[in-house]
Amino acid sequence: MTPEAWTNWPAREALSRAGRTDARRWLNRGVRVLALGVLLWSTFSERHVAGWGAVAAVAGVLLTGFLAWCFYRTTLRNDLWPSVGLLVLLMGGAVIARHGGFEIPATVLWCGCAVVAMERLPLVAALPTTLVALGGFAAYNQDSWLTTTITTAGLLLAGYVLRLDAEARGNAQRLLAQERAARAAEAESAALAERARIARDIHDVLAHSLSAQLVHLEAARLRIEREPHSPFRDQILERVVAARSMAREGLAETRQALSALRGEMAPLGDYLRELAAMDGAEVEIGGEPRPLPAEASQTVRRVVQEALTNVRKHAPGARVLIRLTYGADEVTLDVRDSGGKGPAPAGLGASGSGYGLLGMKERAELLGGTLEAGPGGPEDPDEKGFSVRLRVPA
């Protein structure tokens, strides 16, 4: 036996009721009820128990039950000295009961202390405590020495068998938890592999077509610029430039969707700063940044994209502030602009993701969050500009 085996506590799974079958639970309850019944019957079967003696006897039984409950709680927390102290109090109560003429309650207390000490304490403390309890039982026992020896050996063996049974149950619980964790990791790995396959398919079908579209639009733009005498040159160039902008936005969103499918999304703060730099917006991060669930993170990204697209379409030249705040159990996004300074460029009104405020609100509600959008800021509705505020659980 290794030195650690003498000082280690039984596993928490062995000390707690977790994982016990219904039959085992009912058996444990039955044993406790039987022990309590024996204590009560043996106490009140004595002829000298009457009046204040009966009150003291009831108080003693209740106190014994309370100390036993405290012992179970302290061993569950692995508090050694409080646990040993409670057993000493119980054995002291057995001595008092024996001198008071209550032989059977004293015997039950000594035997119970011996068994539970061997079952629930580290061996370095369990063996001395058990030997003290069994020694008290043997000293006051009036049976023959052979009967007393067999009884004490049986109690010692019973306590050790209960300890081994509890350890086996604890090991089974740990193995079950490990198996469940392995299955969850396997399922997650399979889901990631499937998402990676879908991402490759999307990349082959959509990302390549958008890249080719950009190449053709850029070639058309250059050709138009080289033919300045076309009567429809300006209108065609505006449409081509708008289409190229839309293709670039679609390609960027496709790449973000691919990253989300592969589980490779950039940190939310870095993404907001990168997106804000493209639109000349400001970013403020409040609270303690932490990784968010994929759905919540993707919703925040989509809302920022749509809010910035609405600013470009309806308030060009406006000053934009993006504020992300990490709360205890939610994340708040606030996108506010100061109001437009001129008309939007031609063709830009038809651009954007097509997501819309209604779609953003529905997506937030699916996650148990809220979205508010309207003129002014959330604190001052009369303020100029437009604000979008999103709250999602995280």
Side-chain angles (χ1 to χ4, degrees):
M1 184 178 293
T2 61
E4 291 79 7
W6 288 90
T7 57
N8 288 343
W9 283 82
R12 183 176 180 84
E13 294 85 358
L15 295 176
S16 66
R17 299 185 178 92
R20 293 184 179 179
T21 61
D22 292 338
R24 187 183 292 272
R25 289 194 184 98
W26 282 108
L27 180 60
N28 290 336
R29 292 170 184 170
V31 170
R32 294 171 186 171
V33 171
L34 179 61
L36 182 61
V38 169
L39 287 175
L40 292 174
W41 174 82
S42 60
T43 299
F44 289 98
S45 64
E46 299 291 342
R47 295 181 179 179
H48 62 278
V49 177
W52 287 107
V55 174
V58 171
V61 172
L62 294 178
L63 179 60
T64 300
F66 175 73
L67 293 177
W69 178 82
C70 292
F71 172 76
Y72 275 82
R73 299 300 299 177
T74 55
T75 54
L76 191 61
R77 296 195 301 267
N78 293 352
D79 293 335
L80 179 59
W81 293 114
S83 301
V84 174
L86 289 168
L87 283 181
V88 171
L89 289 177
L90 288 171
M91 288 187 286
V95 174
I96 295 174
R98 181 65 180 78
H99 284 285
F102 300 98
E103 297 181 2
I104 295 179
T107 301
V108 171
L109 283 177
W110 275 317
C111 296
C113 289
V115 172
V116 297
M118 182 59 67
E119 179 187 5
R120 301 181 68 88
L121 291 178
L123 286 177
V124 68
L127 281 176
T129 307
T130 300
L131 292 177
V132 169
L134 293 178
F137 163 73
Y140 287 97
N141 190 32
Q142 298 178 356
D143 295 332
S144 64
W145 67 269
L146 181 59
T147 302
T148 302
T149 302
I150 294 175
T151 303
T152 54
L155 290 171
L156 182 64
L157 181 61
Y160 190 67
V161 169
L162 289 175
R163 181 189 188 90
L164 294 179
D165 177 71
E167 285 288 2
R169 187 177 67 252
N171 291 333
Q173 289 296 315
R174 286 194 297 272
L175 289 176
L176 180 60
Q178 292 174 2
E179 182 181 359
R180 289 174 177 172
R183 288 182 179 178
E186 183 179 355
E188 184 178 357
S189 177
L192 288 175
E194 179 65 13
R195 288 161 63 182
R197 184 191 66 79
I198 296 174
R200 287 192 297 270
D201 293 342
I202 294 177
H203 181 272
D204 293 339
V205 175
L206 185 57
H208 289 175
S209 64
L210 286 173
S211 299
Q213 183 181 357
L214 277 175
V215 172
H216 288 293
L217 288 173
E218 186 66 17
R221 183 185 67 82
L222 293 174
R223 185 166 184 177
I224 291 172
E225 289 180 349
R226 291 171 184 172
E227 297 178 2
H229 302 295
S230 173
F232 304 103
R233 174 184 176 279
D234 294 338
Q235 293 88 341
I236 296 175
L237 182 60
E238 288 179 357
R239 296 296 179 182
V240 170
V241 170
R244 183 183 63 172
S245 176
M246 293 170 61
R248 282 180 174 173
E249 291 178 1
L251 183 59
E253 293 184 7
T254 300
R255 287 171 177 166
Q256 293 164 11
L258 295 176
S259 298
L261 283 173
R262 291 169 177 161
E264 300 172 353
M265 289 190 297
L268 189 55
D270 295 344
Y271 170 79
L272 293 182
R273 294 185 184 94
E274 179 181 352
L275 194 64
M278 298 172 56
D279 287 82
E282 300 178 14
V283 176
E284 294 181 0
I285 307 294
E288 185 67 25
R290 63 180 184 274
L292 302 180
E295 295 83 359
S297 177
Q298 192 68 4
T299 299
V300 172
R301 295 165 194 256
R302 292 295 188 188
V303 169
V304 172
Q305 289 176 357
E306 186 64 27
L308 292 179
T309 298
N310 288 339
V311 171
R312 289 195 299 269
K313 289 196 300 184
H314 305 296
R319 177 178 172 270
V320 181
L321 174 62
I322 303 172
R323 182 184 293 114
L324 180 67
T325 305
Y326 291 88
D329 53 0
E330 70 174 10
V331 170
T332 303
L333 173 72
D334 188 7
V335 183
R336 187 187 312 179
D337 66 76
S338 60
K341 299 181 179 179
L348 189 59
S351 65
S353 64
Y355 190 61
L357 293 177
L358 180 59
M360 289 192 293
K361 184 175 182 180
E362 292 175 350
R363 184 162 188 162
E365 290 175 349
L366 286 175
L367 296 178
T370 60
L371 185 138
E372 302 173 357
E379 293 85 7
D380 186 5
D382 296 330
E383 184 180 349
K384 293 183 178 180
F386 196 86
S387 69
V388 177
R389 169 166 285 195
L390 169 71
R391 289 188 179 92
V392 290

Tab-separated table of all heavy atoms in Angstrom, residues 199-232:
chain	number	residue	atom	x	y	z
A	199	ALA	N	-18.095	24.059	-44.974
A	199	ALA	CA	-17.339	25.271	-45.286
A	199	ALA	C	-16.574	25.111	-46.601
A	199	ALA	O	-16.514	26.051	-47.411
A	199	ALA	CB	-16.381	25.592	-44.147
A	200	ARG	N	-15.991	23.939	-46.812
A	200	ARG	CA	-15.278	23.721	-48.079
A	200	ARG	C	-16.232	23.776	-49.263
A	200	ARG	O	-15.914	24.346	-50.316
A	200	ARG	CB	-14.557	22.372	-48.036
A	200	ARG	CG	-13.328	22.354	-47.140
A	200	ARG	CD	-12.505	21.098	-47.370
A	200	ARG	NE	-13.252	19.891	-47.022
A	200	ARG	CZ	-13.250	19.339	-45.816
A	200	ARG	NH1	-12.540	19.889	-44.839
A	200	ARG	NH2	-13.926	18.234	-45.579
A	201	ASP	N	-17.435	23.189	-49.082
A	201	ASP	CA	-18.405	23.227	-50.178
A	201	ASP	C	-18.835	24.660	-50.480
A	201	ASP	O	-18.949	25.057	-51.651
A	201	ASP	CB	-19.635	22.383	-49.810
A	201	ASP	CG	-19.305	20.897	-49.728
A	201	ASP	OD1	-18.252	20.502	-50.286
A	201	ASP	OD2	-20.078	20.142	-49.110
A	202	ILE	N	-19.094	25.451	-49.409
A	202	ILE	CA	-19.473	26.849	-49.624
A	202	ILE	C	-18.353	27.603	-50.318
A	202	ILE	O	-18.587	28.423	-51.224
A	202	ILE	CB	-19.840	27.508	-48.288
A	202	ILE	CG1	-21.114	26.874	-47.708
A	202	ILE	CG2	-20.035	29.008	-48.451
A	202	ILE	CD1	-21.500	27.422	-46.359
A	203	HIS	N	-17.130	27.334	-49.883
A	203	HIS	CA	-15.984	28.021	-50.495
A	203	HIS	C	-15.883	27.689	-51.974
A	203	HIS	O	-15.673	28.576	-52.811
A	203	HIS	CB	-14.702	27.605	-49.777
A	203	HIS	CG	-13.475	28.267	-50.312
A	203	HIS	ND1	-12.746	27.755	-51.363
A	203	HIS	CD2	-12.866	29.423	-49.954
A	203	HIS	CE1	-11.726	28.549	-51.613
A	203	HIS	NE2	-11.776	29.570	-50.776
A	204	ASP	N	-16.059	26.438	-52.338
A	204	ASP	CA	-15.939	26.047	-53.748
A	204	ASP	C	-17.040	26.678	-54.591
A	204	ASP	O	-16.798	27.104	-55.726
A	204	ASP	CB	-16.011	24.521	-53.882
A	204	ASP	CG	-14.797	23.853	-53.262
A	204	ASP	OD1	-13.760	24.542	-53.111
A	204	ASP	OD2	-14.886	22.656	-52.921
A	205	VAL	N	-18.264	26.758	-54.031
A	205	VAL	CA	-19.391	27.234	-54.829
A	205	VAL	C	-19.511	28.746	-54.836
A	205	VAL	O	-19.695	29.368	-55.887
A	205	VAL	CB	-20.702	26.604	-54.307
A	205	VAL	CG1	-21.907	27.183	-55.045
A	205	VAL	CG2	-20.667	25.101	-54.485
A	206	LEU	N	-19.381	29.369	-53.651
A	206	LEU	CA	-19.705	30.786	-53.518
A	206	LEU	C	-18.476	31.684	-53.533
A	206	LEU	O	-18.439	32.672	-54.274
A	206	LEU	CB	-20.490	31.000	-52.217
A	206	LEU	CG	-21.015	32.407	-51.952
A	206	LEU	CD1	-21.898	32.870	-53.098
A	206	LEU	CD2	-21.775	32.452	-50.645
A	207	ALA	N	-17.482	31.364	-52.725
A	207	ALA	CA	-16.329	32.250	-52.632
A	207	ALA	C	-15.612	32.368	-53.969
A	207	ALA	O	-15.194	33.462	-54.373
A	207	ALA	CB	-15.372	31.746	-51.561
A	208	HIS	N	-15.463	31.256	-54.684
A	208	HIS	CA	-14.796	31.318	-55.990
A	208	HIS	C	-15.607	32.140	-56.986
A	208	HIS	O	-15.047	32.907	-57.783
A	208	HIS	CB	-14.577	29.906	-56.519
A	208	HIS	CG	-13.528	29.147	-55.753
A	208	HIS	ND1	-13.232	27.828	-55.982
A	208	HIS	CD2	-12.703	29.532	-54.752
A	208	HIS	CE1	-12.280	27.428	-55.162
A	208	HIS	NE2	-11.946	28.452	-54.398
A	209	SER	N	-16.937	31.982	-56.960
A	209	SER	CA	-17.763	32.750	-57.909
A	209	SER	C	-17.701	34.240	-57.605
A	209	SER	O	-17.652	35.075	-58.518
A	209	SER	CB	-19.212	32.256	-57.850
A	209	SER	OG	-19.759	32.501	-56.582
A	210	LEU	N	-17.673	34.612	-56.321
A	210	LEU	CA	-17.557	36.031	-55.974
A	210	LEU	C	-16.195	36.583	-56.390
A	210	LEU	O	-16.093	37.725	-56.870
A	210	LEU	CB	-17.766	36.214	-54.474
A	210	LEU	CG	-19.201	36.069	-53.970
A	210	LEU	CD1	-19.230	36.110	-52.449
A	210	LEU	CD2	-20.082	37.179	-54.548
A	211	SER	N	-15.159	35.808	-56.199
A	211	SER	CA	-13.840	36.266	-56.625
A	211	SER	C	-13.798	36.479	-58.135
A	211	SER	O	-13.255	37.479	-58.626
A	211	SER	CB	-12.776	35.244	-56.211
A	211	SER	OG	-12.748	35.103	-54.817
A	212	ALA	N	-14.383	35.553	-58.897
A	212	ALA	CA	-14.427	35.714	-60.350
A	212	ALA	C	-15.261	36.925	-60.743
A	212	ALA	O	-14.927	37.669	-61.671
A	212	ALA	CB	-14.998	34.446	-60.984
A	213	GLN	N	-16.359	37.165	-60.015
A	213	GLN	CA	-17.191	38.334	-60.280
A	213	GLN	C	-16.403	39.626	-60.058
A	213	GLN	O	-16.515	40.578	-60.848
A	213	GLN	CB	-18.419	38.291	-59.374
A	213	GLN	CG	-19.400	39.436	-59.610
A	213	GLN	CD	-20.587	39.364	-58.667
A	213	GLN	OE1	-20.698	38.441	-57.877
A	213	GLN	NE2	-21.461	40.336	-58.759
A	214	LEU	N	-15.607	39.680	-59.023
A	214	LEU	CA	-14.778	40.854	-58.779
A	214	LEU	C	-13.792	41.089	-59.910
A	214	LEU	O	-13.565	42.233	-60.330
A	214	LEU	CB	-14.021	40.675	-57.456
A	214	LEU	CG	-14.767	41.036	-56.175
A	214	LEU	CD1	-13.928	40.676	-54.968
A	214	LEU	CD2	-15.094	42.524	-56.154
A	215	VAL	N	-13.202	40.025	-60.404
A	215	VAL	CA	-12.242	40.169	-61.507
A	215	VAL	C	-12.918	40.760	-62.733
A	215	VAL	O	-12.410	41.699	-63.376
A	215	VAL	CB	-11.605	38.802	-61.833
A	215	VAL	CG1	-10.764	38.900	-63.101
A	215	VAL	CG2	-10.744	38.333	-60.671
A	216	HIS	N	-14.110	40.242	-63.092
A	216	HIS	CA	-14.816	40.755	-64.271
A	216	HIS	C	-15.286	42.191	-64.065
A	216	HIS	O	-15.221	43.017	-64.993
A	216	HIS	CB	-16.003	39.846	-64.585
A	216	HIS	CG	-15.608	38.511	-65.155
A	216	HIS	ND1	-15.031	38.369	-66.396
A	216	HIS	CD2	-15.687	37.260	-64.639
A	216	HIS	CE1	-14.781	37.077	-66.632
A	216	HIS	NE2	-15.165	36.385	-65.569
A	217	LEU	N	-15.749	42.519	-62.866
A	217	LEU	CA	-16.183	43.901	-62.609
A	217	LEU	C	-15.006	44.869	-62.672
A	217	LEU	O	-15.136	45.992	-63.186
A	217	LEU	CB	-16.854	43.978	-61.242
A	217	LEU	CG	-18.247	43.343	-61.137
A	217	LEU	CD1	-18.711	43.335	-59.698
A	217	LEU	CD2	-19.245	44.096	-62.018
A	218	GLU	N	-13.856	44.448	-62.160
A	218	GLU	CA	-12.687	45.319	-62.222
A	218	GLU	C	-12.245	45.531	-63.663
A	218	GLU	O	-11.868	46.644	-64.061
A	218	GLU	CB	-11.551	44.699	-61.392
A	218	GLU	CG	-10.325	45.582	-61.268
A	218	GLU	CD	-10.581	46.849	-60.476
A	218	GLU	OE1	-11.601	46.914	-59.756
A	218	GLU	OE2	-9.757	47.776	-60.574
A	219	ALA	N	-12.316	44.477	-64.482
A	219	ALA	CA	-11.961	44.621	-65.898
A	219	ALA	C	-12.933	45.555	-66.615
A	219	ALA	O	-12.527	46.397	-67.431
A	219	ALA	CB	-11.954	43.249	-66.571
A	220	ALA	N	-14.256	45.433	-66.272
A	220	ALA	CA	-15.244	46.322	-66.888
A	220	ALA	C	-14.997	47.775	-66.481
A	220	ALA	O	-15.121	48.701	-67.295
A	220	ALA	CB	-16.642	45.881	-66.502
A	221	ARG	N	-14.652	47.988	-65.208
A	221	ARG	CA	-14.390	49.348	-64.751
A	221	ARG	C	-13.203	49.962	-65.487
A	221	ARG	O	-13.263	51.126	-65.934
A	221	ARG	CB	-14.125	49.342	-63.247
A	221	ARG	CG	-13.917	50.727	-62.651
A	221	ARG	CD	-13.545	50.640	-61.198
A	221	ARG	NE	-12.238	50.026	-61.010
A	221	ARG	CZ	-11.072	50.688	-61.132
A	221	ARG	NH1	-11.072	51.976	-61.447
A	221	ARG	NH2	-9.931	50.070	-60.967
A	222	LEU	N	-12.128	49.210	-65.626
A	222	LEU	CA	-10.943	49.726	-66.323
A	222	LEU	C	-11.252	50.030	-67.788
A	222	LEU	O	-10.784	51.037	-68.343
A	222	LEU	CB	-9.800	48.719	-66.215
A	222	LEU	CG	-9.232	48.508	-64.797
A	222	LEU	CD1	-8.205	47.389	-64.798
A	222	LEU	CD2	-8.616	49.801	-64.279
A	223	ARG	N	-12.053	49.170	-68.430
A	223	ARG	CA	-12.379	49.408	-69.838
A	223	ARG	C	-13.236	50.652	-70.005
A	223	ARG	O	-13.064	51.431	-70.958
A	223	ARG	CB	-13.102	48.191	-70.406
A	223	ARG	CG	-13.369	48.310	-71.899
A	223	ARG	CD	-13.762	46.998	-72.501
A	223	ARG	NE	-13.931	47.105	-73.938
A	223	ARG	CZ	-14.223	46.095	-74.736
A	223	ARG	NH1	-14.350	44.863	-74.216
A	223	ARG	NH2	-14.376	46.259	-76.031
A	224	ILE	N	-14.168	50.858	-69.064
A	224	ILE	CA	-15.010	52.051	-69.152
A	224	ILE	C	-14.163	53.312	-68.973
A	224	ILE	O	-14.364	54.327	-69.662
A	224	ILE	CB	-16.127	51.975	-68.101
A	224	ILE	CG1	-17.109	50.863	-68.468
A	224	ILE	CG2	-16.861	53.297	-67.978
A	224	ILE	CD1	-18.140	50.582	-67.399
A	225	GLU	N	-13.218	53.263	-68.026
A	225	GLU	CA	-12.375	54.429	-67.799
A	225	GLU	C	-11.483	54.733	-69.007
A	225	GLU	O	-11.115	55.885	-69.232
A	225	GLU	CB	-11.525	54.204	-66.549
A	225	GLU	CG	-12.316	54.241	-65.246
A	225	GLU	CD	-11.440	54.005	-64.034
A	225	GLU	OE1	-10.267	53.610	-64.238
A	225	GLU	OE2	-11.911	54.212	-62.885
A	226	ARG	N	-11.162	53.735	-69.795
A	226	ARG	CA	-10.313	53.951	-70.970
A	226	ARG	C	-11.112	54.445	-72.179
A	226	ARG	O	-10.536	54.803	-73.197
A	226	ARG	CB	-9.601	52.647	-71.335
A	226	ARG	CG	-8.549	52.241	-70.287
A	226	ARG	CD	-8.022	50.858	-70.572
A	226	ARG	NE	-7.084	50.426	-69.536
A	226	ARG	CZ	-6.588	49.194	-69.442
A	226	ARG	NH1	-6.953	48.275	-70.327
A	226	ARG	NH2	-5.748	48.894	-68.474
A	227	GLU	N	-12.442	54.396	-72.093
A	227	GLU	CA	-13.288	54.879	-73.190
A	227	GLU	C	-14.121	56.051	-72.678
A	227	GLU	O	-15.299	55.925	-72.358
A	227	GLU	CB	-14.191	53.759	-73.688
A	227	GLU	CG	-13.418	52.581	-74.288
A	227	GLU	CD	-14.340	51.467	-74.735
A	227	GLU	OE1	-15.572	51.641	-74.608
A	227	GLU	OE2	-13.841	50.425	-75.215
A	228	PRO	N	-13.528	57.199	-72.580
A	228	PRO	CA	-14.212	58.351	-71.959
A	228	PRO	C	-15.323	58.959	-72.794
A	228	PRO	O	-16.059	59.801	-72.299
A	228	PRO	CB	-13.074	59.346	-71.757
A	228	PRO	CG	-12.079	59.003	-72.812
A	228	PRO	CD	-12.144	57.528	-73.019
A	229	HIS	N	-15.484	58.560	-74.064
A	229	HIS	CA	-16.456	59.219	-74.933
A	229	HIS	C	-17.796	58.505	-74.976
A	229	HIS	O	-18.673	58.928	-75.733
A	229	HIS	CB	-15.893	59.313	-76.356
A	229	HIS	CG	-14.589	60.065	-76.418
A	229	HIS	ND1	-14.474	61.405	-76.112
A	229	HIS	CD2	-13.330	59.630	-76.711
A	229	HIS	CE1	-13.207	61.793	-76.221
A	229	HIS	NE2	-12.474	60.724	-76.577
A	230	SER	N	-17.974	57.449	-74.163
A	230	SER	CA	-19.253	56.751	-74.162
A	230	SER	C	-20.308	57.651	-73.511
A	230	SER	O	-20.060	58.234	-72.453
A	230	SER	CB	-19.126	55.435	-73.379
A	230	SER	OG	-20.398	54.842	-73.255
A	231	PRO	N	-21.515	57.774	-74.130
A	231	PRO	CA	-22.537	58.669	-73.549
A	231	PRO	C	-23.079	58.183	-72.198
A	231	PRO	O	-23.617	58.962	-71.424
A	231	PRO	CB	-23.639	58.671	-74.608
A	231	PRO	CG	-23.441	57.400	-75.372
A	231	PRO	CD	-21.967	57.135	-75.374
A	232	PHE	N	-22.952	56.888	-71.939
A	232	PHE	CA	-23.470	56.346	-70.672
A	232	PHE	C	-22.338	55.944	-69.730
A	232	PHE	O	-22.523	55.129	-68.832
A	232	PHE	CB	-24.353	55.117	-70.944
A	232	PHE	CG	-25.490	55.396	-71.885
A	232	PHE	CD1	-25.427	54.975	-73.206
A	232	PHE	CD2	-26.613	56.099	-71.450
A	232	PHE	CE1	-26.474	55.238	-74.070
A	232	PHE	CE2	-27.646	56.349	-72.318
A	232	PHE	CZ	-27.585	55.932	-73.634
